[in-house]
Amino acid sequence: MPASSASIRTERVTIPTYPVGPADPNPVFYSSRMYQGAKGPIYPYPMLDSLSDTKVPRAYDAVYLENEYIEFSVLPEIGGRIFTALDKTDSYDFFYRQTVIKPALIGMIG
């Protein structure tokens, strides 16, 4: 049985993105927020709680990994998240294909 070949490449992709506003320059040492069982300690990280309602096109570096059966793409600039996952035998996206990047106010530091 012949060995299958895999390849890796990078491409620049443009994705509509809701930008995150600037970080608060003043450190937050304590926040009394408690919701969903999570505390609100923030320091030493900056407070990032300003999200935009307007999407803008933004270019990202996408890393594509593929062989003859599947093709994955990940976006290292947003934590290496899977962006696409395609079954090439029947052109089926077996991972939900995002059409926009929209941060939320949970897990902003990662």
Side-chain angles (χ1 to χ4, degrees), residues 30-42 47-49 51 104-109:
Y30 175 76
S31 177
S32 62
R33 301 175 296 132
M34 289 206 52
Y35 54 92
Q36 297 179 348
K39 290 184 179 181
I42 298 166
M47 178 65 112
L48 295 167
D49 63 350
L51 302 176
L105 290 179
I106 187 158
M108 288 293 286
I109 300 298

Side-chain angles (χ1 to χ4, degrees), residues 67-90:
N67 63 17
E68 68 247 37
Y69 302 110
I70 60 172
E71 178 186 78
F72 279 99
S73 69
V74 295
L75 301 175
E77 294 171 75
I78 59 171
R81 295 189 180 126
I82 296 173
F83 185 60
T84 61
L86 178 71
D87 180 348
K88 292 167 62 174
T89 62
D90 60 2

Side-chain angles (χ1 to χ4, degrees), residues 43-64:
Y43 187 80
Y45 305 107
M47 178 65 112
L48 295 167
D49 63 350
S50 174
L51 302 176
S52 173
D53 291 334
T54 306
K55 62 184 171 185
V56 296
R58 178 169 170 212
Y60 293 91
D61 287 321
V63 177
Y64 286 86

